Amino acid sequence: MKPDEIIQRRVARELKPNSLVNLGIGLPTGVAKYIDEHANVLFESENGIVGLAAKPPEGMDDPDLTDAGGGTVSAVPGAATIDSAYSFGLIRGGHLDATVLGALEVDERGMLANWVVPGKMVPGMGGAMDLVTGARRVIIAMNHTAKGAPKIVPKCTLPLTSIRRISLIVTDLAVIEPTDDGLVLRERAPGVTVEQIVAATSAKLVINGDVPEMDLGVAA
């Protein structure tokens, strides 16, 4: 199984039936593929869609129906389009059950850096700061390392997205929960050892007893 699929399948199991969820651009958008169609999970995009669905078949793209990253998408029956002010009212008002975002760094305190690399041109901060602050749960979906360098670090060196602690980190190697006691290693990917996870993580991990393998079945 490819790393992205491991991450997306495991994140999908965190999304509860009848919930409203924002998926960040990039890797998080693929989470939708692994949600049971009867679970009634509604996906929201901060540019103004409630009821976001997968990319349409080739030739069926509508240039006026896009996600926040500008990629064409489709919509489920009964979906709603809303203006940006209403969309951010949902986010800032605490009406999102969860958001799934990518990350550049996460540190031992559970702080997230994901919106800018100093010196690099970016189009804007997008909705990341609002999402991390306003959603009830913040789930980070990312590869454990970048070009061999750990992304889970003692302290973020990049600008923070928010001063609120995130809820969960899901990588291609592990599930890690930020807590008052530190980063607790909850699960490991199939075939991955605890020693491999520790070696790929520069932050200190809290390890309590045996660490079970991830369940990657289709979310119910």
Side-chain angles (χ1 to χ4, degrees):
M1 192 179 294
K2 293 181 178 180
D4 284 6
E5 183 177 347
I6 291 171
I7 298 166
Q8 292 161 349
R9 281 185 175 274
R10 182 57 188 85
V11 170
R13 298 193 66 79
E14 292 294 319
L15 306 182
K16 306 304 181 186
N18 305 309
S19 57
L20 180 61
V21 178
N22 173 280
L23 297 179
I25 60 175
L27 189 153
T29 60
V31 171
K33 296 183 294 187
Y34 302 107
I35 297 293
D36 186 282
E37 61 180 338
H38 303 296
N40 196 32
V41 175
L42 274 180
F43 293 109
E44 186 266 357
S45 181
E46 60 264 38
N47 60 320
I49 306 173
V50 178
L52 190 73
K55 182 177 175 63
E58 187 174 353
M60 298 295 290
D61 302 65
D62 182 343
D64 293 322
L65 189 57
T66 69
D67 61 21
T72 55
V73 294
S74 57
V76 300
T81 56
I82 55 181
D83 65 21
S84 183
Y86 201 107
S87 178
F88 276 87
L90 288 175
I91 296 167
R92 295 170 180 168
H95 304 291
L96 285 180
D97 294 294
T99 184
V100 182
L101 300 171
L104 298 170
E105 292 178 330
V106 181
D107 69 20
E108 289 180 358
R109 302 169 298 159
M111 298 294 108
L112 167 69
N114 80 337
W115 72 276
V116 66
V117 176
K120 295 287 184 70
M121 177 65 73
V122 293
M125 66 185 69
M129 294 179 179
D130 297 280
L131 289 163
V132 175
T133 303
R136 293 170 189 160
R137 293 191 76 208
V138 179
I139 302 168
I140 298 305
M142 68 176 190
N143 288 297
H144 207 94
T145 62
K147 298 181 180 178
K151 295 175 69 174
I152 303 174
V153 295
K155 187 174 182 180
C156 288
T157 60
L158 298 172
L160 296 180
T161 304
S162 173
I163 57 171
R164 179 189 176 199
R165 185 168 72 196
I166 62 165
S167 309
L168 198 69
I169 308 164
V170 180
T171 78
D172 52 324
L173 301 183
V175 176
I176 298 169
E177 182 182 4
T179 71
D180 291 340
D181 296 322
L183 298 177
V184 179
L185 179 58
R186 296 296 188 197
E187 300 173 19
R188 53 190 174 80
V192 175
T193 66
V194 170
E195 291 74 19
Q196 287 173 314
I197 296 167
V198 171
T201 309
S202 61
K204 182 180 179 181
L205 296 176
V206 178
I207 302 169
N208 298 316
D210 292 334
V211 179
E213 281 196 352
M214 297 179 190
D215 181 354
L216 299 177
V218 176

